[in-house]
Amino acid sequence: MTSSHSTPPVGQDVPQDDPRVDDVSPQASVPDDYGLQPVRLLIGVVGIALTLWLMFNLFLAFAYYPGWFFDSKLLMGALGLVAGVGGAAILFWFINVAIEALPRRLEHGLIPYAFLLPGFSLIGLMLLYPTIQTIHYSFANRDSTEYREPPWANYTELFSSSAFWSAILNNVLWIAIVPAITVALGVVVAVLADKLSASSEKWAKSFIFLPMAISFVAASAIWLTTVYAYQAPGRPQTGVLNAIVQQFGGQPQNWLAIETGRLNSLLLMVILIWLQTGFAMVLLSSAIKGVPEDTIEAARIDGASEWQIFWKVVIPQIRATIITVFITVLILVMKVFDIVYVLTNGRNNTDVIANMFFNELFARGQAGRATAIVVILLIAVIPILIYQVKQFREQEATR
Amino acid sequence: MSAGRLKDGRQRSVVSMVTMFLLAVLWTLPTLGLLITSFRTRDAAATSGWWAALWEGGWTTENYARVFEQADLGNAFLNGIAVAVPATIIPIMFAAFAAYAFTFMDFKGKDVLFIIIVAVMVVPIQVAFQPLLDLLGPRGLGISGQYLAVWLLHTGFGMPLAIYVLRNYMASLPYSVVESARIDGCSNFQIFWKLIAPMAMPAMAAFATLQFLWVWNDLLIARLFLSNDNTTVIVKLQQLLGTQGQGAELLTAGAFISMVLPMIVFFALQNFLVRGMTSGAVKG
């Protein structure tokens, strides 16, 4: 009973000669239980309160009285860092003092929750509470001050607007195209890189991986200036695409304004694929390296061609990684925002849900409609969420 | 198809070499094009393609000087650092304790709480904006627009991923170390500080690399929660993109400046980045 807290994590293998299987409880050798120690408890509780109060006020002072810090951004950044990390350490120390002052049984019951509390408070404050509140606000007016009449008016307005359905269609296109192509490219690159010598592999992968460090905004600037740029007909073209078109005698186009076949959306997708292929490659490459050589060798001896080996031997063994990468890119794509916002801001039928949300919230000040859009996004991710949780449980079971 | 063998005895594949070379070039060219354009005068960049720069000329470093003056990029760069460094490090401290509890302690509700972490990683952060604008804005604490608001947001949003990455790593550490420390009478706090935190350093670095790139490159949160005076390079860049007509030459220089720091982090910490990605993928 007293040793209950020292059970290993669920599913972790326990070697048979582990000390825990001995009859003697490990707790037996731990120093004596002092029972309740009121003074230590008091010190701990006062310490927690004081630390929180000091952290809270120092941080608020950055916001309210920047003059105290000589208006120096770097000083505030540095102090914020020290106060955040140091404050957290001191906070946990006092929590530990307070809990250790309790009788041992209570102590062991409480300490895990004490360690979790600060992290979970942040998650609660920044993610769980707002989620509930957002659902709540989606039935309210533009300032979230009172309910609409009828409460679902935001939703009916959205569902009857053609702009909304156009955005949904674009999102569906993004979802259908980007994750699949990213994964496919990632597999191709990972397989090809695996056949190179060690040093060329490292170099080639670095180049493809590099865009991972580039922001969506900078990537948009890159593609706009170097690839999609448009100059009036007759003038020299500065974008690669138009230069090629002109070379072959065609008319230069303002690419991001071409709605036909949603070409402009497709061109925006290219940017995201360019950014994410490196990520896919890195994960898939390590999966491919994990495929046992003898399974491939056995297939080769049986006379399978390289092509068959790839599809029948390699792919099934990296299936789990393919799915992980696919889901990760999918989650990213569902809330794609930056690229659309900075390049077209939804013009010419390129709008997507996340950009529509931003414009309703920020440009038009329509918080009611904006939150309704997020709720729809939230509902759309629920299947993925369930899948991820299921996946996680299976993984834990086999750990 | 094969021209000899590699040092480790594998067949040399010419097709792979050529294709990979082409792909690497293709992936690098757009960035290279931007870099070239950023060093050309406005006229040169508008009248000849960046690929023609070598023979058309029109080189200058003026754009970089001007973007610092006109777009106030120096200030924005400092803001970026003041926002990103605390927002990268602070979550680690909170997450490490939680990850320790999840890995080395047994308690009621452990599975449910960890599943909440896994689930929350998928939730789009957009859900948080209107309620938090309310809470941090003039109707609430009145700190919206300040670094503090953004530190808080990034700490909160980064927390699930941080706990997940750290917990996965800690679960791979030998449990017997903790066990014997407990028998020696160490408290959990001591075990955490003296044993687990130092051993979990690689995972912390992995998360820090991911989080730094994410915070530095973020547009959405900075746009919504930072005042114009406190805003980051990425927001400035977005504003430059909005005024394409006049500022084309500043845009390219600004874009490159915004990429310098993440590139350095990327090259220096590439191995940690890969580890972070393989252990936790990416956040919602």
Side-chain angles (χ1 to χ4, degrees):
Chain A
M1 155 81 228
T2 41
S3 65
S4 67
H5 79 284
S6 61
T7 331
V10 199
Q12 184 163 318
D13 290 336
V14 181
Q16 277 314 300
D17 57 346
D18 196 286
R20 265 160 299 152
V21 275
D22 291 352
D23 292 348
V24 192
S25 152
Q27 237 58 58
S29 53
V30 170
D32 321 314
D33 183 355
Y34 297 110
L36 181 69
Q37 299 160 276
V39 181
R40 285 196 68 177
L41 182 63
L42 191 70
I43 294 175
V45 172
V46 171
I48 294 169
L50 202 67
T51 313
L52 281 176
W53 185 83
L54 278 175
M55 272 173 87
F56 195 70
N57 280 294
L58 177 65
F59 277 113
L60 281 186
F62 290 144
Y64 294 156
Y65 308 106
W68 292 3
F69 308 96
F70 315 107
D71 289 307
S72 160
K73 291 172 189 290
L74 286 185
L75 179 64
M76 281 192 266
L79 273 178
L81 179 64
V82 171
V85 175
I90 296 170
L91 183 67
F92 277 109
W93 189 74
F94 277 121
I95 290 177
N96 193 59
V97 167
I99 299 238
E100 281 192 337
L102 298 171
R104 175 124 305 145
R105 267 175 80 169
L106 213 55
E107 177 195 332
H108 285 141
L110 281 181
I111 201 136
Y113 300 106
F115 275 24
L116 292 179
L117 188 68
F120 266 85
S121 314
L122 279 163
I123 293 177
L125 180 70
M126 295 293 150
L127 286 160
L128 300 179
Y129 152 79
T131 306
I132 311 288
Q133 193 69 299
T134 287
I135 296 171
H136 183 199
Y137 283 167
S138 71
F139 300 106
N141 64 5
R142 57 180 299 170
D143 315 307
S144 315
T145 46
E146 54 189 45
Y147 290 113
R148 295 284 305 265
E149 188 53 52
W152 52 87
N154 290 319
Y155 292 94
T156 42
E157 275 171 29
L158 273 182
F159 291 143
S160 61
S161 102
S162 60
F164 172 76
W165 291 110
S166 167
I168 291 277
L169 175 63
N170 281 326
N171 265 92
V172 169
L173 284 175
W174 279 82
I175 288 167
I177 294 171
V178 176
I181 294 191
T182 307
V183 169
L185 268 175
V187 172
V188 169
V189 173
V191 168
L192 290 177
D194 198 42
K195 295 195 191 305
L196 300 181
S197 69
S199 65
S200 11
E201 173 175 2
K202 198 169 152 251
W203 276 100
K205 278 160 91 175
S206 282
F207 280 115
I208 291 173
F209 193 33
L210 182 68
M212 270 297 291
I214 299 174
S215 64
F216 294 125
V217 183
S220 305
I222 289 174
W223 281 75
L224 184 68
T225 28
T226 62
V227 182
Y228 300 148
Y230 165 73
Q231 311 283 350
R235 298 184 54 195
Q237 294 299 323
T238 58
V240 172
L241 222 45
N242 274 327
I244 294 172
V245 167
Q246 211 168 37
Q247 196 67 42
F248 289 99
Q251 275 291 320
Q253 305 284 336
N254 186 4
W255 296 102
L256 296 182
I258 302 177
E259 292 175 44
T260 324
R262 306 249 164 177
L263 180 69
N264 45 12
S265 285
L266 293 174
L267 293 175
L268 297 179
M269 291 176 206
V270 171
I271 303 177
L272 189 60
I273 293 170
W274 177 71
L275 284 172
Q276 291 296 312
T277 300
F279 160 75
M281 170 202 73
V282 164
L283 264 68
L284 290 162
S285 178
S286 74
I288 286 175
K289 295 210 184 303
V291 172
E293 196 60 41
D294 47 346
T295 57
I296 296 173
E297 211 47 55
R300 213 166 264 150
I301 289 166
D302 290 345
S305 67
E306 288 299 311
W307 187 249
Q308 281 172 320
I309 291 175
F310 175 71
W311 283 106
K312 303 249 170 77
V313 181
V314 177
I315 291 284
Q317 294 193 66
I318 60 168
R319 203 176 138 260
T321 310
I322 289 181
I323 294 173
T324 309
V325 174
F326 186 90
I327 298 270
T328 309
V329 180
L330 178 64
I331 295 170
L332 182 77
V333 164
M334 290 186 81
K335 43 193 187 57
V336 61
F337 161 72
D338 308 41
I339 296 174
V340 177
Y341 176 62
V342 299
L343 285 182
T344 64
N345 197 11
R347 282 184 306 271
N348 304 107
N349 260 328
T350 51
D351 218 357
V352 287
I353 286 295
N355 187 55
M356 209 176 172
F357 158 79
F358 182 85
N359 281 326
E360 290 289 354
L361 183 67
F362 197 62
R364 296 194 201 108
Q366 289 280 1
R369 231 179 292 160
T371 45
I373 293 173
V374 185
V375 171
I376 291 164
L377 186 60
L378 196 60
I379 293 170
V381 299
I382 285 177
I384 303 178
L385 192 149
I386 293 170
Y387 178 83
Q388 288 289 78
V389 168
K390 238 169 137 181
Q391 194 67 20
F392 168 75
R393 294 188 115 155
E394 274 167 32
Q395 191 187 313
E396 285 302 284
T398 58
R399 206 182 245 283
Chain B
M1 198 177 283
S2 58
R5 287 174 179 275
L6 297 172
K7 262 186 247 155
D8 50 9
R10 284 176 299 154
Q11 284 278 318
R12 191 184 292 274
S13 156
V14 177
V15 179
S16 313
M17 281 162 64
V18 173
T19 324
M20 273 309 279
F21 178 75
L22 287 179
L23 280 172
V25 168
L26 200 64
W27 247 250
T28 318
L29 273 183
T31 318
L32 191 66
L34 179 92
L35 183 61
I36 292 171
T37 313
S38 73
F39 282 109
R40 301 185 74 199
T41 61
R42 186 182 163 76
D43 282 343
T47 50
S48 62
W50 48 269
W51 54 87
L54 218 48
W55 58 91
E56 295 283 348
W59 299 95
T60 177
T61 52
E62 188 75 352
N63 299 338
Y64 283 88
R66 282 193 38 225
V67 78
F68 274 106
E69 273 166 37
Q70 291 184 11
D72 199 15
L73 217 60
N75 186 23
F77 201 88
L78 286 186
N79 286 332
I81 293 174
V83 163
V85 174
T88 303
I89 311 285
I90 294 173
I92 296 176
M93 196 70 205
F94 290 99
F97 275 96
Y100 175 86
F102 275 125
T103 321
F104 298 110
M105 295 174 176
D106 207 23
F107 52 92
K108 246 186 137 169
K110 177 165 152 174
D111 289 347
V112 175
L113 286 176
F114 202 74
I115 281 173
I116 291 180
I117 302 274
V118 174
V120 159
M121 284 202 295
V122 182
V123 171
I125 57 171
Q126 277 91 343
V127 296
F129 291 158
Q130 171 61 8
L132 289 179
L133 278 171
D134 238 25
L135 190 72
L136 305 178
R139 276 200 266 173
L141 278 173
I143 55 168
S144 188
Q146 308 291 337
Y147 296 150
L148 174 57
V150 183
W151 290 340
L152 256 175
L153 287 164
H154 282 301
T155 303
F157 296 156
M159 193 60 56
L161 182 75
I163 295 177
Y164 188 79
V165 169
L166 291 179
R167 183 261 183 195
N168 277 359
Y169 187 79
M170 286 183 191
S172 70
L173 297 176
Y175 192 77
S176 53
V177 177
V178 175
E179 194 63 24
S180 50
R182 276 191 184 136
I183 293 170
D184 291 344
C186 290
S187 73
N188 279 305
F189 189 78
Q190 287 168 321
I191 298 173
F192 173 81
W193 271 119
K194 299 211 175 114
L195 287 171
I196 301 303
M199 283 165 93
M201 271 308 181
M204 293 185 187
F207 169 78
T209 314
L210 272 184
Q211 175 82 349
F212 180 84
L213 290 182
W214 157 263
V215 175
W216 180 273
N217 287 339
D218 158 75
L219 170 69
L220 196 47
I221 296 172
R223 187 89 171 79
L224 282 171
F225 290 91
L226 283 175
S227 65
N228 205 32
D229 188 43
N230 288 335
T231 209
T232 61
V233 190
I234 300 296
V235 176
K236 289 284 176 202
L237 190 59
Q238 175 259 322
Q239 288 165 354
L240 281 173
L241 262 165
T243 57
Q244 280 167 38
Q246 309 97 50
E249 76 282 15
L250 300 186
L251 172 68
T252 52
F256 200 74
I257 291 167
S258 83
M259 284 156 48
V260 168
L261 201 56
M263 291 266 189
I264 293 173
V265 169
F266 176 85
F267 279 117
L269 302 172
Q270 200 170 1
N271 292 339
F272 289 115
L273 182 65
V274 170
R275 200 191 305 228
M277 289 188 332
T278 41
S279 60
V282 188
K283 70 177 125 184

